[in-house]
Amino acid sequence: MKTRRKPELQVVGTSPRASAPNQRRRQSEILDAAAKVFAQRGYYGASTQDIADILGIKQASLYYYFPSKEIALERVCLKGVEGFFEAASEVAAKKITASEKVRGLVEAHLAPLLDRADFVKTFLNERQYLPPVSRKKVGKLSRAYEKVIEKVVMEGIASGEFRKGLDPRLMTLALLGMCKSVAAWIGKENPYKVPEVAEQYARILLAGIGKAGR
Amino acid sequence: MKTRRKPELQVVGTSPRASAPNQRRRQSEILDAAAKVFAQRGYYGASTQDIADILGIKQASLYYYFPSKEIALERVCLKGVEGFFEAASEVAAKKITASEKVRGLVEAHLAPLLDRADFVKTFLNERQYLPPVSRKKVGKLSRAYEKVIEKVVMEGIASGEFRKGLDPRLMTLALLGMCKSVAAWIGKENPYKVPEVAEQYARILLAGIGKAGR
DNA sequence: CAATCTATCTATTGATCTATAGAATCCGGC
DNA sequence: GCCGGATTCTATAGATCAATAGATAGATTG
């Protein structure tokens, strides 16, 4: 979202200005550093000093950019979860079979690991440490996301494409669990790349490991 | 400061054994409390004070039972992973089909959640914060465990029971990922019970979500 | 009863961490 | 070349935390 906002009617004299782009870029650098540290050492294991070290500034200077460590975590988590819902909704809205949707959902879930790994990891592993208010915000987004997946599964069952005894919620949790764990080991003495994993995981979900696989 | 060695010669045969059972029971209570706190708040989020509070003793008193917080984490993690290897090996050694073995592996992995949930959770989520030496010990056990799973998958492929293109390592990671996530939500506003989840998850792995399911 | 052992306590140290206050510096536009 | 806001710094308060040292109460033993 980058709509450059025009000054509302009464911004009185002073012009809101050219520094805005720089400001925004720096903000994002700060958040990148926070995400990196949170993802690597966990929220409580990470100190604001660690974040400052990455940026080459003093620890106290960080507080120019966020009012508390908890808020920094909230922002990182929000950036980690944002996009999941939209991407999934897009897949779910397509005119394709439920199987193809499941495949798309897996791909969409793993894709952000390519360009926002630290944010996603932090969202997945550290959101539990958010203060209640923040947790609610983040929880709202992730629950909406899960509902999209569940609905795809239910449709698949209703249409007869998926097995009848399947529990949609449990199935969703299985999908999320498989994908979540990928964040933990991808790019770590592993030869695997994201698209390959998405392909194989989607296939396991759809056909199992048996020979039936299409 | 640890007594690297016992008094050389004079260990004196007389056994003051009577206290041993109580001693051991207390040790285990201490570890239970540590596991509970580590599982709930994470290693860095948990203070030794929190552990002491559960037990109703003073924080400093804990150090009668373990020499450092890190060692407490090591012990909890070891208790969390121990048994996995044996249980899996047992399943793998049976004279049953590879499919039945996979089902048994899932059940064996989820079973400890019934009676050692806090230890297993801590092992799964906090082992990354172990100091290098401890991490190596724990890593050794868990890698051996993973190898057992991988081997079962490879056998299934070799025997033609499983699909040929399957990557055994990736398949193992998928199984572990699915099961790991269960620890995070089981018994939390969920109607699901462990055996039910094991049943469904094994089925998803074996037959996928398609109608093919046995 | 005396000696020893076990388990816990009190008291404290030093390190580390988040956050605040206010001063200094940088930089673009005039 | 100076002004004003943007950005970073210094210094420090205040809290918490892991860990150590030494004392002590209660049980066990001899």
Side-chain angles (χ1 to χ4, degrees):
Chain A
M1 220 67 252
K2 47 181 12 189
T3 39
R4 225 201 102 187
R5 193 166 282 271
K6 302 174 187 174
E8 310 281 348
L9 283 183
Q10 47 200 25
V11 183
V12 200
T14 59
S15 31
R17 231 22 64 177
S19 59
N22 274 348
Q23 206 176 46
R24 198 150 279 210
R25 187 172 345 129
R26 190 59 171 152
Q27 274 276 4
S28 141
E29 284 170 7
I30 306 292
L31 220 57
D32 284 350
K36 187 172 191 172
V37 171
F38 289 158
Q40 207 157 72
R41 306 150 95 107
Y43 177 68
Y44 286 115
S47 70
T48 51
Q49 182 66 65
D50 295 331
I51 303 175
D53 286 347
I54 289 184
L55 295 160
I57 63 178
K58 296 292 171 179
Q59 177 262 345
S61 305
L62 289 175
Y63 285 77
Y64 179 73
Y65 295 97
F66 51 73
S68 74
K69 193 186 171 192
E70 282 179 343
I71 294 296
L73 178 63
E74 179 188 303
R75 292 191 189 154
V76 171
C77 285
L78 282 173
K79 187 162 171 188
V81 69
E82 96 186 357
F84 274 119
F85 174 75
E86 283 84 356
S89 299
E90 219 168 279
V91 170
K94 283 187 180 167
K95 288 226 165 301
I96 53 182
T97 67
S99 289
E100 287 166 330
K101 284 183 185 177
V102 166
R103 180 174 301 267
L105 287 175
V106 172
E107 284 165 2
H109 189 105
L110 295 181
L113 288 180
L114 288 171
D115 62 334
R116 312 140 82 85
D118 291 332
F119 291 88
V120 173
K121 279 190 210 176
T122 301
F123 157 66
L124 290 173
N125 301 320
E126 313 300 326
R127 100 181 100 140
Q128 55 183 318
Y129 303 121
L130 284 168
V133 175
S134 307
R135 183 134 31 97
K136 214 176 259 183
K137 290 189 214 173
V138 173
K140 204 169 172 178
L141 282 172
S142 58
R143 234 168 300 119
Y145 171 54
E146 292 175 13
K147 286 299 166 202
V148 173
I149 301 179
E150 247 175 271
K151 211 165 159 200
V152 167
V153 176
M154 289 192 295
E155 286 172 9
I157 296 173
S159 77
E161 194 173 343
F162 297 157
R163 193 193 328 135
K164 203 145 174 255
L166 216 59
D167 181 315
R169 178 69 186 152
L170 216 46
M171 173 61 208
T172 300
L173 290 169
L175 185 156
L176 289 172
M178 276 177 50
C179 290
K180 171 172 177 172
S181 75
V182 173
W185 51 255
I186 196 87
K188 257 193 178 170
E189 48 182 88
N190 263 289
Y192 305 114
K193 298 285 175 238
V194 168
E196 176 192 6
V197 176
E199 153 71 19
Q200 287 239 22
Y201 274 22
R203 207 201 264 215
I204 290 171
L205 281 173
L206 292 172
I209 61 183
K211 297 188 75 173
R214 66 97 176 275
Chain B
M1 229 66 41
K2 28 186 71 168
T3 47
R4 232 182 62 67
R5 55 229 202 108
K6 349 172 150 183
E8 300 280 337
L9 294 175
Q10 293 287 42
V11 188
V12 200
T14 61
S15 42
R17 288 302 85 120
S19 60
N22 274 348
Q23 206 175 47
R24 194 151 283 215
R25 191 179 336 137
R26 190 60 171 153
Q27 274 277 3
S28 142
E29 285 171 6
I30 306 292
L31 219 58
D32 284 350
K36 187 172 192 173
V37 171
F38 289 159
Q40 207 158 72
R41 306 149 95 108
Y43 177 68
Y44 286 115
S47 71
T48 52
Q49 183 66 65
D50 295 331
I51 303 175
D53 286 347
I54 288 184
L55 295 160
I57 62 178
K58 296 292 170 179
Q59 177 260 345
S61 305
L62 289 174
Y63 285 78
Y64 179 73
Y65 294 97
F66 50 74
S68 74
K69 194 185 171 192
E70 282 179 341
I71 293 297
L73 178 63
E74 179 188 302
R75 293 193 189 153
V76 171
C77 285
L78 282 174
K79 187 162 169 188
V81 69
E82 98 187 355
F84 275 117
F85 175 75
E86 284 84 355
S89 299
E90 219 169 278
V91 170
K94 285 187 179 168
K95 287 227 166 303
I96 52 182
T97 67
S99 289
E100 288 166 329
K101 284 184 184 177
V102 166
R103 179 174 303 265
L105 288 174
V106 172
E107 285 165 1
H109 189 104
L110 294 182
L113 287 181
L114 288 172
D115 62 333
R116 312 141 81 86
D118 291 333
F119 291 90
V120 173
K121 279 190 210 176
T122 301
F123 157 66
L124 290 173
N125 300 321
E126 312 301 324
R127 98 182 100 139
Q128 55 184 317
Y129 304 121
L130 284 168
V133 174
S134 307
R135 181 134 31 97
K136 213 176 259 181
K137 290 189 214 170
V138 174
K140 204 170 172 180
L141 281 172
S142 59
R143 235 168 299 118
Y145 171 54
E146 293 175 13
K147 286 298 167 204
V148 173
I149 301 178
E150 248 176 271
K151 211 167 160 198
V152 167
V153 176
M154 289 192 294
E155 286 172 10
I157 297 173
S159 76
E161 195 174 343
F162 296 157
R163 192 194 325 134
K164 200 140 178 259
L166 216 60
D167 181 317
R169 178 69 186 150
L170 216 45
M171 173 62 207
T172 300
L173 290 169
L175 184 156
L176 291 172
M178 276 178 50
C179 291
K180 171 172 176 172
S181 75
V182 173
W185 51 256
I186 196 88
K188 261 192 176 171
E189 48 182 271
N190 261 289
Y192 305 115
K193 298 285 175 238
V194 167
E196 177 192 6
V197 176
E199 153 71 18
Q200 287 238 22
Y201 274 22
R203 209 202 264 216
I204 289 171
L205 281 173
L206 292 171
I209 62 182
K211 299 188 74 172
R214 67 97 177 273

